[in-house]
Amino acid sequence: MKVYQIDGVTPVIHPTAYVHPTAVLIGDVIIGPRCYVGPAACLRGDFGRLELKEGANIQDTCVMHGFPNSDTVVEEDGHIGHGAVLHGCTVKRNALVGMNAVVMDGAVVGESSIVAASAFVKAKFEVPSKSLVAGSPARIIRELSDQEIEWKSKGTAQYQDLAVRSLSTMREVDALTEIEPDRKRMEIPEDVKPLYQLKEEA
């Protein structure tokens, strides 16, 4: 991974966290226990502090940044989907920010809430706990069901497991030139499914 000190401030990565080698961490970045930071994520703590608390994940190509003297925080079990941008905001415990969503300065995503994919959460907007928000600008759609919150928690648990799997088994190799006979598949529990599929089965 690319880890840079600036103005004498060095990123901190807990030994149980996994940060992909292509991620970039600059300055005042704190990665807590059991966190996962995906490929090509950029966490630029060159103005304000960036913090991932225990069990949080920030996935491929996400960006975290903030204005001077601001904190950008993802609390325990927070889940930040591919390509999302967090800028000077707070994502509370067990909340999910969907793929390619943007959460702006001073916004707060409430506990166990979901920001839909591609949503734009404007500055200082407060998402109530256990709520779904969507749109540009984002608006409150409805309260989340227990099934939806459980689905989110199971997905986050998979990323916590992925941090362990990555620390113990991921290594850089040369690609094969042919598919092996009886090529193995990833062995992931069958209860991890897209939300739409769980609803269709209910």
Side-chain angles (χ1 to χ4, degrees):
M1 77 201 78
K2 303 285 189 179
V3 178
Y4 300 94
Q5 181 185 87
I6 186 170
D7 294 337
V9 181
T10 304
V12 177
I13 303 171
H14 192 276
T16 61
Y18 176 78
V19 179
H20 191 273
T22 60
V24 178
L25 277 55
I26 300 171
D28 195 1
V29 177
I30 302 169
I31 308 296
R34 301 169 54 240
C35 289
Y36 174 88
V37 178
C42 180
L43 286 70
R44 273 184 52 212
D46 47 14
F47 288 159
R49 175 167 293 174
L50 313 179
E51 185 170 6
L52 297 184
K53 296 194 176 181
E54 182 168 1
N57 69 74
I58 182 161
Q59 298 170 22
D60 323 50
T61 72
C62 288
V63 174
M64 287 183 73
H65 195 238
F67 281 106
N69 305 311
S70 67
D71 287 0
T72 305
V73 180
V74 180
E75 293 188 356
E76 292 86 350
D77 300 331
H79 190 112
I80 312 302
H82 316 291
V85 177
L86 306 181
H87 203 278
C89 59
T90 299
V91 177
K92 292 286 193 177
R93 179 190 298 268
N94 200 45
L96 181 151
V97 175
M99 294 180 271
N100 290 316
V102 176
V103 185
M104 292 298 293
D105 302 276
V108 177
V109 178
E111 183 173 337
S112 298
S113 288
I114 294 177
V115 174
S118 297
F120 178 81
V121 180
K122 64 185 181 181
K124 297 189 73 176
F125 187 82
E126 294 200 13
V127 178
S129 60
K130 299 183 178 179
S131 297
L132 171 67
V133 299
S136 182
R139 61 186 180 84
I140 300 165
I141 303 300
R142 59 177 172 79
E143 186 173 333
L144 292 170
S145 67
D146 291 341
Q147 181 195 38
E148 289 167 323
I149 294 171
E150 181 184 10
W151 169 82
K152 183 271 163 201
S153 297
K154 284 182 177 179
T156 301
Q158 287 302 311
Y159 270 90
Q160 292 163 351
D161 183 58
L162 180 58
V164 175
R165 291 167 53 211
S166 298
L167 284 170
S168 59
T169 71
M170 189 178 290
R171 59 193 178 95
E172 189 171 358
V173 297
D174 293 325
L176 302 174
T177 57
E178 296 181 6
I179 301 171
E180 322 95 291
D182 301 319
R183 180 178 173 86
K184 69 176 291 189
R185 289 183 175 269
M186 297 294 166
E187 296 178 3
I188 308 298
E190 291 184 5
D191 64 343
V192 180
K193 299 178 180 179
L195 185 57
Y196 79 87
Q197 191 173 346
L198 289 177
K199 289 181 175 181
E200 286 175 351
E201 294 172 356

